[in-house]
Amino acid sequence: MITNRSGLKGVVIVRLYDNERNLKHYEEIYNLITTAGDEYYAKRSAAGVLPAAPSDVTKVTGMKLGVGTTTPSKSGAGSALVNYKTGSNLAFLASFPQLQDLTGDTGWNVLYYAQWLPGVATDTALTEAVIVNDSAANATSTAANTISRVAFSAINKTAADTLEISWAHTFLGA
């Protein structure tokens, strides 16, 4: 029997810093790439093929935060933000996404990054984040707009804190 090692996986690093850049919270979480995310990457790949390229998808643009506690899932209730934190919609930083060769024929990472500066998305219990294609909208995103979702320990982000989320989607070839 042949074991297929190909696929997609994701890892998220959540960091919270105080106003003096002291690390207050660190968490590394393996996340779900949603069914919509699987479709997103498949369609983006196929759209790059000529001559008969299928239509491309709307590109992802940033992240949003929430305060929901539903367990992440590939589709359905846990595949989108459960409880959107108003004003937490951010575009990726200007130099992201980035590509990272994992060398040694082990795969590639697509790296995403967003940073919520002091005064933005202040809350006593931030617990979820998503990568979406509608980050300009100050509203929750549907599952169709969400390619990846993660849930993490409740974070108390004060008005003086900075929250940074680094997200890597790893492509593993067979």
Side-chain angles (χ1 to χ4, degrees):
M1 175 186 221
I2 297 175
T3 302
N4 186 350
R5 297 183 350 234
S6 64
L8 285 170
K9 67 178 186 176
V11 65
V12 180
I13 296 175
V14 179
R15 292 181 184 95
L16 182 70
Y17 297 95
D18 67 16
N19 62 338
E20 295 178 1
R21 291 295 290 173
N22 295 308
L23 185 63
K24 293 174 64 174
H25 179 93
Y26 175 90
E27 196 167 345
E28 185 173 318
I29 313 119
Y30 290 97
N31 77 286
L32 278 177
I33 296 172
T34 64
T35 299
D38 293 341
E39 179 182 5
Y40 173 82
Y41 284 121
K43 286 183 176 178
R44 290 283 299 147
S45 177
V49 178
L50 290 175
S55 296
D56 205 348
V57 294
T58 303
K59 294 178 182 177
V60 293
T61 56
M63 295 184 210
K64 295 181 181 184
L65 300 172
V67 295
T69 57
T70 300
T71 301
S73 65
K74 289 290 283 181
S75 61
S79 63
L81 275 179
V82 175
N83 209 347
Y84 174 66
K85 172 63 184 171
T86 302
S88 71
N89 54 307
L90 285 182
F92 300 123
L93 260 57
S95 60
F96 287 86
Q98 295 178 355
L99 296 173
Q100 178 186 33
D101 181 356
L102 299 178
T103 68
D105 298 330
T106 57
W108 281 80
N109 276 338
V110 178
L111 305 171
Y112 302 99
Y113 179 79
Q115 184 182 59
W116 291 265
L117 295 172
V120 178
T122 300
D123 198 285
T124 59
L126 295 171
T127 54
E128 59 181 331
V130 291
I131 294 177
V132 295
N133 64 10
D134 65 346
S135 66
N138 184 13
T140 197
S141 298
T142 66
N145 297 104
T146 304
I147 71 158
S148 207
R149 177 173 178 261
V150 67
F152 43 83
S153 302
I155 294 173
N156 178 10
K157 183 182 181 302
T158 70
D161 294 338
T162 298
L163 177 64
E164 298 176 354
I165 297 182
S166 306
W167 214 305
H169 283 172
T170 304
F171 292 75
L172 304 169

